[in-house]
């Protein structure tokens, strides 16, 4: 179901009409679409706003998922997507997307705004492993996820520890083990 609060150019209104409505203050930009200026920007609206960009069978991951979940205030310049179906892609995707071909398990996704999105635990684990691959400490996305959802720390530790062999898993797990646990 398409969200009644998300206006993609060319669906209900043209890009010119949406641009005029934005100038009038009736709508604001969110992701790749627009929403009413008086609506609350929720994870469902953020996810639905990326529908024009993300093809069927792809899930939002990494920084894109962190933005959808509300941990990041601004969307990334290139959205991260991952295949969530058994069928592989055989055509070129939009250059605004960073595509990963490994299948994302359905158990590690949630549907928000009609779009598959990696769940919070998987998003944190992916961000930490990507930061470890870059040789950096945990960057803004991972820190924001932990700050926004501190209750996922224990689940992320278990997911990484019990998961199969993954690149940069040890370093990400070491970071998680050293992270202070909030008890209140």
């Amino acid at each position: 179901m398409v969200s009644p609060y998300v206006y993609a150019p060319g669906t209900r209104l043209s890009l010119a009409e949406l641009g005029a409505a934005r100038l009038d203050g009736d709508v604001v930009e969110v992701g790749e679409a627009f929403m009413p200026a008086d609506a609350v920007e929720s994870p469902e609206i953020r996810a639905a706003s990326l529908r024009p960009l993300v093809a069927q069978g792809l899930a939002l991951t990494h920084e894109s998922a962190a933005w959808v979940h509300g941990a990041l205030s601004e969307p990334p310049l290139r959205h991260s997507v991952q295949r969530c179906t058994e069928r592989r892609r055989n055509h070129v995707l939009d250059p605004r997307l960073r595509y990963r071909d490994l299948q994302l398990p359905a158990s590690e996704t949630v549907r928000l705004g009609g779009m598959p999105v990696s769940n919070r635990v998987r998003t944190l684990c992916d961000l930490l492993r990507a930061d470890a691959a870059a040789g950096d400490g945990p960057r803004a996305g991972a820190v924001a996820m932990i700050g926004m959802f501190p209750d996922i720390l224990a689940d992320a530790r278990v997911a990484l520890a019990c998961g199969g062999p993954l690149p940069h898993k040890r370093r990400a797990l070491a970071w998680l083990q050293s992270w202070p646990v909030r008890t209140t």
Side-chain angles (χ1 to χ4, degrees):
M1 181 179 108
V2 178
S3 173
Y5 297 109
V6 176
Y7 308 119
T11 52
R12 293 180 233 176
L13 299 170
S14 70
L15 182 58
E17 291 170 316
L18 287 168
R22 183 176 54 100
L23 290 174
D24 290 341
D26 295 329
V27 297
V28 294
E29 293 175 87
V30 58
E32 297 292 314
F34 297 84
M35 64 182 251
D38 59 349
V40 176
E41 189 174 322
S42 66
E44 290 79 13
I45 287 179
R46 286 180 175 196
S49 74
L50 297 177
R51 186 180 305 248
L53 180 64
V54 179
Q56 186 96 13
L58 298 177
L60 298 164
T61 62
H62 293 75
E63 289 88 358
S64 300
W67 175 71
V68 167
H69 288 301
L72 296 175
S73 59
E74 294 294 322
L77 295 177
R78 284 185 74 199
H79 286 284
S80 297
V81 295
Q82 190 166 337
R83 180 172 56 93
C84 62
T85 60
E86 291 185 21
R87 189 168 173 219
R88 292 191 144 164
R89 318 271 328 154
N90 61 356
H91 62 281
V92 177
L93 297 171
D94 194 298
R96 295 174 291 171
L97 297 176
R98 181 174 291 123
Y99 173 69
R100 290 172 178 83
D101 192 46
L102 184 66
Q103 183 180 355
L104 183 66
S107 62
E108 296 179 358
T109 63
V110 294
R111 286 197 81 76
L112 296 170
M115 297 284 298
V117 180
S118 62
N119 65 28
R120 292 173 180 170
V121 172
R122 173 64 187 247
T123 300
L124 176 59
C125 293
D126 285 346
L127 289 170
L128 286 172
R129 288 188 318 101
D131 295 347
D136 298 334
R139 291 186 275 189
V143 172
M145 283 295 291
I146 293 169
M148 185 78 145
F149 311 108
D151 56 320
I152 65 172
L153 274 173
D155 292 336
R157 287 182 184 123
V158 170
L160 279 175
C162 297
L166 293 168
H168 310 287
K169 170 182 160 176
R170 286 188 184 134
R171 190 166 188 195
L173 189 54
W175 287 336
L176 276 178
Q177 300 293 7
S178 67
W179 211 279
V181 176
R182 186 186 297 177
T183 58
T184 57

